[in-house]
Amino acid sequence: MRSATRLGDLGTEQAYVVLGAARELERAGHAVVHLEIGEPDMPTPPHVVEAGVRALRDGRTRYALAAGVPELRDAIASALAARGVRASAENVVVTPGAKPALFLAALALIEPGDEVLCPDPGFPIYESVVRFAGGRPVYYPLDEARGFAPDVAAIAERATPRTRSLILNLPHNPTGGVAAARDLEALADLAQRHDWWVISDEVYGRIRFDGRPDSIAALPGMAERTFIVDGFSKTYAMTGWRLGYGVMPAWLAEPVTTLLINNVSCTATFVQYAGLAALTGPQDAVTGMVAGLRAKRDLLVRGLNAIEGIRCAVPAGAFYCFPDIAGVLERAGLSCEAFAARLLVERHVAVLAGTAFGPGGAGHLRLCYATEVPQLERALAGLRAFVRGVAAVPA
Ligand code: PLP
C-alpha cells in the first residue's frame, strides 16, 4: 500500500523534533530549559476560561455556523480597527487556529506553478503549504542590518511573471522583525503594480514593543488583495484551544467557507465563545504579558551580546530573538545545527538552529524568551559555559 504522492510535498516544524529530544532528556532525569517552542508561558486569562466553561454549561455544544459564530466574527472585525483595517463580519472566517487559516489561504489562492514569495528565514509552514498547493516558494531575504525588516528591493528583484502572492509575517517569526511604515507602503505599491495577493500572517500583531500596531491591509487598495491570517494562540495564551481566523474580501469568504465545510465543518462552538470573551473583555493580561516580554527580551539580548562571538539585534515584536553566532561557529568549527544539538545534550538548553527556518537562518539560533526569568538566566549561563568550552578565544 502507499499514500498519495502529495504528502511528500509537506514539510514540518523542527521545534517538535527538538521538543521530543528535550523530553527524552527530562525522562532521564535532567532539567531542561525550554526555549524551543513558541508559546506564551502565561495561562489563558481566567475570564476567558470561565467563558469557555460557561458556554459548555449553557449547551453551546452543537455545530456552529460554518464561517463562525456571528458575534465573534463581528468582534474580530471590530478589533481589526486597532491596526487601521476596516472590516465587517462578512470578511471574517473563523478557523481552528491560525495555521488552518494559512492552509485555507494557500488552497484558495495558489494555482499550480505559481511562484509565492516567502521570507527566508521564515515560518517553515509557509513553504510547506505553498508546495502542497502546487506552488513554488521563492525565498526573499530580510534586512538584518535593519532588525530583519523585509527588504523591499530584494522582494522586487525576485518578481517574475509567475509571481502570484507575497507572504508577509509581521512581527516576524523567527526574528521579531517588523516593517517601517514606508516599507509597508512600498510593499503595498509593489503588490498592486504586479497584481499580487498578500498573505499577511499577523499572529504576533499584538505583541510588539513599539506600540505601533499595523497591517498592510489598512493601506489604500490593499483590503481587496490581502488575506490576513491571525488567531488567539499567542495574544491570549490560547495555543491549546485552537482558535484563529482569516480576513479576506467578502466574495472570497464564501468559497473559503466551503473549503472549511469540507474539512472541519466549523470551529468548536464553545471555544468561539471563549474567544469572544478574550476580544471583548479586559485586555490587561495582554498588556501585562507584553510588558513582561519586553523585560525578558532586554535581559536575554543583553546577556547574548555579552558573549564573545554572538551578536543579537533587539527584536521589535513577537517573543523570539535570533542571534548571529557565526563568530562562535567559526572558532568552534560547528554548524548552527550541531551547536544547537550539542547545547541541548551537554548543557540541557533547548533552542532551534536558524536553518530550521530556511537557508537564510544559517549562522543563527532562535530562542523563545516567553519563559520565566530564572530559566532565561539558566539558559544564558549554559550558553556561556558551552561557548567557553567549544570556542575558547585564544589568549
Ligand atoms: N504563524 C506563525 C508565524 C506562527 O509562529 C504560528 C505558531 O507558531 C502560527 C502561525 C500558528 O498559530 P496557531 O497556533 O494559531 O495555529
Side-chain angles (χ1 to χ4, degrees), residues 38 97-100 123 126 169 173 201 203-204 233-234 242 320:
K99 260 188 188 164
F123 188 48
Y126 301 142
N169 172 212
N173 175 10
D201 181 342
V203 293
Y204 300 102
S233 288
K234 317 290 179 177
R242 310 310 301 136
Y320 308 108

Side-chain angles (χ1 to χ4, degrees), residues 14 18 21-22 25 334-353 365 386:
Q14 184 69 14
V18 177
L25 283 169
L334 290 174
S335 65
C336 64
E337 295 93 330
F339 184 101
R342 283 185 54 185
L343 182 67
L344 175 60
V345 173
E346 296 174 29
R347 296 285 164 181
H348 307 144
V349 179
V351 301
L352 299 184
L365 298 177
F386 183 68

Side-chain angles (χ1 to χ4, degrees), residues 294-320:
R294 183 190 200 116
K296 291 169 184 179
R297 172 198 72 170
D298 292 346
L299 180 137
L300 187 59
V301 170
R302 214 171 25 247
L304 288 168
N305 279 320
I307 301 175
E308 175 87 34
I310 298 187
R311 278 188 303 117
C312 187
V314 182
F319 37 57
Y320 308 108

Side-chain angles (χ1 to χ4, degrees), residues 118-132:
C118 303
D120 175 31
F123 188 48
I125 300 303
Y126 301 142
E127 175 176 348
S128 174
V129 298
V130 167
R131 282 194 203 288
F132 194 75

Side-chain angles (χ1 to χ4, degrees), residues 144 304-305 307-312 322-336 339 361-365 383 386-394:
E144 185 159 0
L304 288 168
N305 279 320
I307 301 175
E308 175 87 34
I310 298 187
R311 278 188 303 117
C312 187
F322 202 65
D324 177 342
I325 61 162
V328 174
L329 297 178
E330 207 169 295
R331 290 204 307 268
L334 290 174
S335 65
C336 64
F339 184 101
H364 293 75
L365 298 177
L383 257 169
F386 183 68
V387 169
R388 244 192 333 267
V390 296
V393 184

Side-chain angles (χ1 to χ4, degrees), residues 214-233:
D214 62 15
S215 169
I216 196 164
L219 297 175
M222 288 309 292
E224 64 206 56
R225 60 176 66 250
T226 304
F227 191 121
I228 297 177
V229 169
D230 203 343
F232 292 72
S233 288

